[in-house]
Amino acid sequence: MSDMEDEPFKEDMPTRLQHLRQRAKSDRKANKKYFNKLRRRPPKQLDVTVARLHDEVFEDTDCLHCANCCKSASPIFKDRDIERIARHLGMRPAEFVDRYLHLDNEGDYVNNQVPCQFLGDDNRCSIYEVRPKACREYPHTNHKNFHQVLDLTLKNTTICPAALEVVRRLREELPV
């Protein structure tokens, strides 16, 4: 795609994200019902199907056009993440925590601010090579034992257009 063709997509992103929220809200009840059935009786081909759909959707998805996850949610930072990122930034882990993180209600370390302090104006992550595991795996639509992350996936459909599309295709392909 040329830069000229890219431009309308960028300019239209706030509208696209508004439509995402509306669609996720309107699909929430059906998705929740579907996920409850999946949780009770996960089809044998669930993980293979979800992984394939994830790959198909992300072939046509450029996260740099959106970055809504980085703009509207915080990943959980595990101790390994904190140590790795702090080392990369030339800081002690305690200094990194004091400067950038706080404990949430569930006792997990999360960003002090949203959007993420490591997100640039070009939607690129300044710590991409050492980013938290939660960021590397987001939106978790290719997670092994997918039936174990259904609640998280339902939440992610309100943030990530690709997650919503994976779930839409999954409901079409594997009716339960």
Side-chain angles (χ1 to χ4, degrees):
M1 211 184 267
S2 75
D3 288 343
M4 291 300 287
E5 289 170 312
D6 256 3
E7 210 50 44
F9 189 86
K10 285 183 191 176
E11 291 175 2
D12 198 34
M13 190 49 65
T15 303
R16 288 174 187 259
L17 292 175
Q18 181 60 35
H19 290 163
L20 164 76
R21 287 186 278 278
Q22 291 168 349
R23 190 167 142 218
K25 186 177 179 181
S26 69
D27 290 356
R28 183 174 173 77
K29 194 174 198 175
N31 286 341
K32 192 171 184 173
K33 184 177 178 180
Y34 178 77
F35 282 178
N36 284 336
K37 289 179 181 178
L38 279 184
R39 190 175 288 111
R40 277 182 256 138
R41 295 187 80 193
K44 287 183 181 180
Q45 69 272 35
L46 179 62
D47 285 348
V48 172
T49 303
V50 171
R52 180 179 47 75
L53 293 173
H54 171 92
D55 290 345
E56 289 173 5
V57 168
F58 276 93
E59 276 181 23
D60 297 327
T61 300
D62 182 352
C63 294
L64 292 177
H65 284 302
C66 177
N68 196 43
C69 52
C70 304
K71 293 174 183 175
S72 63
S74 173
I76 292 172
F77 288 76
K78 300 293 186 184
D79 289 341
R80 287 183 184 156
D81 299 322
I82 293 168
E83 291 167 11
R84 184 180 60 255
I85 297 165
R87 186 173 42 251
H88 175 79
L89 296 174
M91 306 170 92
R92 293 181 341 273
E95 182 183 1
F96 176 79
V97 169
D98 288 345
R99 185 170 182 181
Y100 295 114
L101 307 178
H102 69 275
L103 287 171
D104 68 5
N105 294 339
E106 284 118 34
D108 294 316
Y109 281 109
V110 295
N111 281 327
N112 282 338
Q113 67 182 54
V114 174
C116 178
Q117 62 272 2
F118 300 111
L119 181 68
D121 291 339
D122 60 356
N123 286 343
R124 293 186 185 279
C125 176
S126 65
I127 60 165
Y128 187 80
E129 295 303 319
V130 295
R131 68 195 184 280
K133 182 180 180 187
C135 295
R136 287 192 309 264
E137 295 178 351
Y138 192 84
H140 311 285
T141 49
N142 61 347
H143 190 277
K144 276 191 175 183
N145 298 313
F146 181 71
H147 68 281
Q148 295 175 347
V149 294
L150 296 175
D151 292 336
L152 180 59
T153 301
L154 186 62
K155 179 181 175 189
N156 291 344
T157 62
T158 66
I159 298 168
C160 177
L164 185 62
E165 182 61 17
V166 168
V167 171
R168 185 192 68 74
R169 292 183 188 189
L170 180 62
R171 285 180 48 203
E172 286 179 3
E173 198 162 315
L174 282 181
V176 288

